[in-house]
Amino acid sequence: MEKKEMLYEGKAKQVFATDNPDEVVVRFKDDATAFNAQKKGQVDLKGEMNNAITTLIFEYLNQKGIKTHFIKQLNEREQLVRKVSIIPLEMVVRNYSAGSMAQRLGVEEGIKSPVTIFDICYKKDELGDPLINDHHAVFLGAATYEELDDMYELTSDINDILIDLFDKINIILVDFKIELGKTSDGEIILADEISPDTCRLWDKDTMKKLDKDRFRRDLGEVTEAYVEIYNRLKNLLQK
Ligand code: U5P
């Protein structure tokens, strides 16, 4: 496999073409942004940790029958993935109140929800990725109602598997965001990453936050949190 020109640069990752038109290389950066890139910084080792954590989680999901874009880890910062067209919707799942939902509804963080809460946000930097509903998504041409049904089902299946996975390493999966992509034959599969950048992960005993909120809220020990999640997953999955 030969790595070719950069196709895209996002806030935390770069995507490169390869000599295979169906595969791209994703490179994870240490750059961190929050609040629609109003806050910017660097987190040492973040790129390596998110590459390693996403690799462990996507391999685990593959084993559980979830189709993902992941092919293989190439090195400390890069992975080879199937090329998909990213659906411009962020699929957010919430098991507990936190973050923007806690703020919007005027409730405390950390309340366990009796139902699984799904939000969708329109991926549009200029607008700050607004919360939208299914009708807006169809209006925008981002997905059809049938595709949205499949997307919620896939997202819900992923939530069930991840709640259980994180529970095994003594972590509460508070909420997370995933991105889905369409393959050339129209199949919808999991893409992007699943890491402490995209999940809220709280230690079950201490309730310590082990995710990007440490960066967003200036709580310190950011790298340590990412390394902690990696070590717990590695000890569980790489035996
Ligand atoms: N999230 C992202 N990227 C975003 C916005 C949110 O990964 O651009 C993730 C957060 O890390 C959190 C969940 O796990 O989605 C809900 O975020 P929020 O809407 O409470 O900010």
Side-chain angles (χ1 to χ4, degrees):
M1 189 278 299
E2 196 189 329
K3 185 172 146 194
K4 295 196 155 183
E5 78 280 5
M6 188 162 76
L7 297 174
Y8 167 81
E9 175 150 25
K11 285 170 261 187
K13 295 188 290 296
Q14 297 165 325
V15 178
F16 296 86
T18 69
D19 48 358
N20 182 336
D22 294 325
E23 297 177 358
V24 292
V25 170
V26 175
R27 183 176 178 81
F28 289 75
K29 305 191 287 185
D30 286 345
D31 297 355
T33 62
F35 313 118
N36 198 28
Q38 286 169 42
K39 180 182 170 89
K40 289 185 184 162
Q42 291 257 319
V43 175
D44 287 345
L45 274 181
K46 183 170 84 72
E48 289 179 27
M49 289 300 112
N50 283 353
N51 186 27
I53 291 166
T54 295
T55 294
L56 288 172
I57 293 177
F58 277 41
E59 280 176 343
Y60 184 78
L61 288 170
N62 279 336
Q63 282 166 21
K64 297 277 175 190
I66 300 291
K67 290 208 171 148
T68 80
H69 73 162
F70 181 82
I71 300 172
K72 65 176 174 185
Q73 185 171 358
L74 296 171
N75 56 50
E76 285 179 337
R77 286 192 179 266
E78 293 177 328
Q79 51 184 250
L80 185 67
V81 305
R82 278 177 78 182
K83 188 172 183 172
V84 293
S85 68
I86 295 286
I87 296 169
L89 300 173
E90 296 187 332
M91 307 295 293
V92 174
V93 184
R94 302 176 190 274
N95 299 308
Y96 290 72
S97 61
S100 70
M101 189 190 82
Q103 218 168 23
R104 192 177 328 112
L105 302 185
V107 299
E108 277 172 42
E109 294 201 309
I111 304 166
K112 190 174 193 318
S113 172
V115 293
T116 309
I117 298 167
F118 297 92
D119 284 342
I120 54 175
C121 298
Y122 179 37
K123 267 171 70 76
K124 191 89 177 166
D125 282 341
E126 308 90 281
L127 301 177
D129 299 341
L131 178 68
I132 62 168
N133 64 32
D134 289 11
H135 310 294
H136 299 145
V138 173
F139 168 77
L140 289 165
T144 64
Y145 285 112
E146 293 73 24
E147 285 171 340
L148 284 166
D149 283 347
D150 291 348
M151 291 164 70
Y152 284 118
E153 196 178 321
L154 179 58
T155 305
S156 173
D157 290 346
I158 292 169
N159 185 43
D160 291 345
I161 296 168
L162 292 184
I163 287 175
D164 185 56
L165 173 66
F166 282 110
D167 186 65
K168 288 182 181 144
I169 57 167
N170 214 36
I171 295 282
I172 297 171
L173 177 61
V174 173
D175 58 28
F176 65 96
K177 179 267 304 183
I178 53 174
E179 296 188 18
L180 306 177
K182 239 189 230 182
T183 62
S184 49
D185 40 20
E187 193 178 14
I188 293 174
I189 64 174
L190 177 64
D192 194 51
E193 67 176 295
I194 297 180
S195 72
D197 268 10
T198 63
C199 303
R200 286 197 172 90
L201 304 169
W202 296 355
D203 181 89
K204 244 200 266 180
D205 296 329
T206 63
M207 299 303 266
K208 184 174 178 180
K209 296 178 189 349
L210 296 170
D211 57 60
K212 193 171 162 186
D213 272 347
R214 303 205 72 80
F215 169 79
R216 296 188 186 103
R217 302 178 189 187
D218 294 320
L219 300 175
E221 298 180 333
V222 188
T223 297
E224 290 80 353
Y226 285 66
V227 171
E228 178 69 25
I229 294 296
Y230 170 62
N231 283 333
R232 290 195 201 184
L233 281 173
K234 187 183 61 166
N235 288 336
L236 178 75
L237 298 172
Q238 282 191 338
K239 282 210 176 116

